[in-house]
Amino acid sequence: MISKSFLKRNANIELILKSLKPNSKIDYLVFIFFLILYFSIGVYIALTTNIIDKKDTYDMYFSFDNTYSLYIGTSEQMTHPFTKQFYTPLIYVYKIIKKMGFDDKIFTILVLFFCAFFISSTVYIINKYLENIIKLNNKTSLLISIFYGFFSGCLVLSFTPDSFTFSLFLLTLNIYIVSFLISNGKIPSYFYYLFSAFFISGQTITNAPKAVFPILFEKNKINFKSFLKLSMISFTIFFITIARFRFDISNFILSNIERAKSFTHNKISLFDSFFSYFFGGNILLPSLRIDNSEWKHITNKGIYLNFYDHYFQYSISIIILLVIIISVIKNFKNRLFLILTSCFAVDLFYLFVLKIGTNESFIHGGHFIYLIPLFIGWLYTSLSEKLKIILSSILLVCLIVIVINNLIRIYEFIDLAKIIYPL
């Protein structure tokens, strides 16, 4: 006999897949446009420079560890506990390509296709969230999706083989699935939460709360059962992670605390860290510079971000932040919106309370940028028609500035890459 829970779980899967299917030309165009854009940028960088795949180097740009991911899996197993295992199939592919005598660039381009695919998929999922969950019309959904697709965080991650790239895809997909099920009166199963938490925390352990927090908002009121369910799933994931390190709990905890200390900085102001790197930098890319970095007594040249140097950059960031704040005020009682806010609060806690990675906060964008278009989307539901037109006009102006700025910065990035890591 097939259990009712099995049938219910499969019914939910069928419902989710049906909701994610393209149902218009716009859906196809959104995905294909960004896949071509992202992949084209990645291929051009790979075929004209070695900045993506040069061996025996690290932090070649923006503190990403892409070469470790390409050839090893990860260099930080305590904070990315299962990343190495997730990357194993690609590493085997690399070995086969090498055995067959093909150039390493074949492997790089293959991986870049996956990077472009994952990031363009997040744009597509955002569009489906706006259409299916917030119920916005096609034009508004398209505007917000394109607005998001040109974020500097998306553009950079689309050619960066790092855990952040896959994390962005998993977090976006997860927020869609749980929100879609809850909005349709369904409750995600224990199995789903375990599965998603394993993959999300396995990529970056600090993202674990984002995988389980939606449990608290499954029903209109948080109750004891919700906390119990969250505790049980959290403990199971912790147990699996500790088992990965042969139950050496003390070493696992101390290693993560030690690593957090090494990334805690007080020298950089939180204002600059927030607007030029963490929030603003992931939307509107600042100017770039070549600088030397040092790690374990190894000096390495890399491309790094400057702080914002134009008023319009701060202005765009502040405008988008104000839109989000208004959205929070307007939708704070909406449980689907609270799922988004709780996820964003996790990253703000790391940056502002713990002050971890304030000088490298740009690289954390893959953990939260998918939330920005959703915050904006929810704001539309609480506005009059006149205010909706005003908001759309503001977004359109911001979009034009973002597209021009970010494409110029990517061109600048390629020029600098040709200087320090020529083909």
Side-chain angles (χ1 to χ4, degrees):
M1 292 288 290
I2 300 173
S3 68
K4 288 182 179 179
S5 62
F6 177 82
L7 290 172
K8 186 179 178 181
R9 185 159 57 241
N10 279 277
N12 287 345
I13 292 170
E14 188 179 346
L15 187 67
I16 292 162
L17 291 176
K18 189 177 179 182
S19 73
L20 281 170
K21 281 176 65 176
N23 53 18
S24 69
K25 288 181 181 179
I26 291 174
D27 290 337
Y28 286 105
L29 286 172
V30 165
F31 177 76
I32 293 169
F33 172 78
F34 282 105
L35 180 62
I36 292 170
L37 173 68
Y38 295 151
F39 189 51
S40 299
I41 293 171
V43 169
Y44 183 77
I45 294 171
L47 295 180
T48 56
T49 78
N50 280 328
I51 198 163
I52 293 172
D53 52 6
K54 185 173 175 60
K55 295 179 184 177
D56 305 320
T57 51
Y58 70 98
D59 289 1
M60 291 181 288
Y61 59 92
F62 311 143
S63 297
F64 288 114
D65 293 324
N66 39 294
T67 50
Y68 284 114
S69 298
L70 270 172
Y71 305 117
I72 301 169
T74 181
S75 62
E76 300 285 351
Q77 291 189 54
M78 289 297 178
T79 49
H80 306 282
F82 292 100
T83 299
K84 195 163 187 174
Q85 283 66 38
F86 299 156
Y87 273 82
T88 299
L90 280 177
I91 294 167
Y92 279 118
V93 169
Y94 173 68
K95 289 178 180 178
I96 292 168
I97 287 172
K98 288 294 288 181
K99 263 189 176 180
M100 295 175 70
F102 291 113
D103 193 279
D104 284 5
K105 289 294 180 185
I106 299 290
F107 174 67
T108 303
I109 290 170
L110 174 67
V111 175
L112 286 176
F113 176 79
F114 285 116
C115 293
F117 175 83
F118 284 131
I119 303 303
S120 53
S121 294
T122 70
V123 183
Y124 176 81
I125 295 166
I126 292 297
N127 191 62
K128 299 306 287 185
Y129 185 107
L130 297 170
E131 288 179 353
N132 296 340
I133 297 171
I134 304 181
K135 308 292 185 185
L136 298 181
N137 61 56
N138 288 338
K139 287 183 180 179
T140 306
S141 299
L142 183 61
L143 172 61
I144 298 173
S145 300
I146 294 173
F147 172 73
Y148 164 72
F150 277 99
F151 278 10
S152 51
C154 291
L155 288 168
V156 172
L157 287 177
S158 72
F159 58 80
T160 302
D162 197 293
S163 61
F164 296 94
T165 304
F166 193 42
S167 289
L168 178 58
F169 169 74
L170 290 175
L171 289 165
T172 309
L173 182 62
N174 180 63
I175 210 79
Y176 177 86
I177 291 172
V178 294
S179 299
F180 180 77
L181 289 176
I182 292 170
S183 68
N184 282 277
K186 312 285 184 182
I187 294 178
S189 65
Y190 277 94
F191 175 79
Y192 171 76
Y193 281 118
L194 284 172
F195 185 79
S196 64
F198 169 73
F199 275 95
I200 289 170
S201 64
Q203 277 293 329
T204 305
I205 200 162
T206 51
N207 280 329
K210 300 174 190 176
V212 294
F213 275 175
I215 293 169
L216 299 175
F217 307 103
E218 288 177 343
K219 296 184 179 178
N220 291 325
K221 288 185 179 180
I222 300 172
N223 52 39
F224 175 74
K225 284 185 178 180
S226 299
F227 279 110
L228 183 64
K229 186 178 178 181
L230 186 146
S231 302
M232 288 174 64
I233 291 169
S234 300
F235 176 78
T236 306
I237 292 301
F238 182 72
F239 181 84
I240 293 169
T241 305
I242 293 303
R244 160 77 178 84
F245 299 108
R246 299 180 181 179
F247 298 99
D248 192 350
I249 298 175
S250 60
N251 183 44
F252 173 77
I253 294 173
L254 290 172
S255 294
N256 274 286
I257 291 172
E258 197 61 39
R259 189 172 186 274
K261 283 181 181 177
S262 68
F263 280 91
T264 302
H265 298 273
N266 293 306
K267 293 178 182 178
I268 183 173
S269 74
L270 286 177
F271 178 85
D272 280 320
S273 178
F274 184 85
F275 281 106
S276 296
Y277 293 168
F278 176 75
F279 182 78
N282 279 288
I283 298 170
L284 204 70
L285 200 63
S287 59
L288 311 173
R289 72 181 192 278
I290 296 174
D291 207 345
N292 292 327
S293 57
E294 192 171 316
W295 183 66
K296 293 184 178 180
H297 308 294
I298 302 169
T299 303
N300 190 66
K301 272 192 175 182
I303 297 174
Y304 295 89
L305 303 173
N306 293 313
F307 295 139
Y308 279 155
D309 46 16
H310 294 289
Y311 287 115
F312 81 86
Q313 294 169 321
Y314 285 108
S315 300
I316 293 293
S317 298
I318 291 169
I319 287 168
I320 295 170
L321 181 61
L322 286 173
V323 168
I324 290 172
I325 291 170
I326 295 168
S327 185
V328 170
I329 294 168
K330 292 277 191 180
N331 295 283
F332 200 72
K333 292 182 180 180
N334 183 330
R335 56 182 173 149
L336 296 179
F337 189 86
L338 286 173
I339 293 174
L340 310 182
T341 337
S342 63
C343 291
F344 192 49
V346 172
D347 290 289
L348 290 176
F349 175 77
Y350 293 138
L351 182 69
F352 285 97
V353 179
L354 302 182
K355 296 183 179 178
I356 295 174
T358 51
N359 66 332
E360 297 175 330
S361 52
F362 173 83
I363 68 170
H364 301 307
H367 293 166
F368 78 90
I369 52 174
Y370 66 98
L371 296 169
I372 296 173
L374 303 184
F375 282 134
I376 295 170
W378 278 111
L379 179 56
Y380 273 92
T381 62
S382 57
L383 298 178
S384 65
E385 289 302 318
K386 187 177 179 180
L387 289 175
K388 285 178 183 178
I389 293 169
I390 293 172
L391 179 56
S392 294
S393 302
I394 291 170
L395 285 182
L396 189 58
V397 171
C398 289
L399 171 61
I400 292 167
V401 175
I402 287 168
V403 170
I404 295 169
N405 178 87
N406 289 347
L407 292 182
I408 289 172
R409 295 305 181 201
I410 291 296
Y411 181 81
E412 181 185 344
F413 173 85
I414 295 169
D415 272 356
L416 295 176
K418 287 177 180 178
I419 294 170
I420 58 174
Y421 292 106
L423 187 63

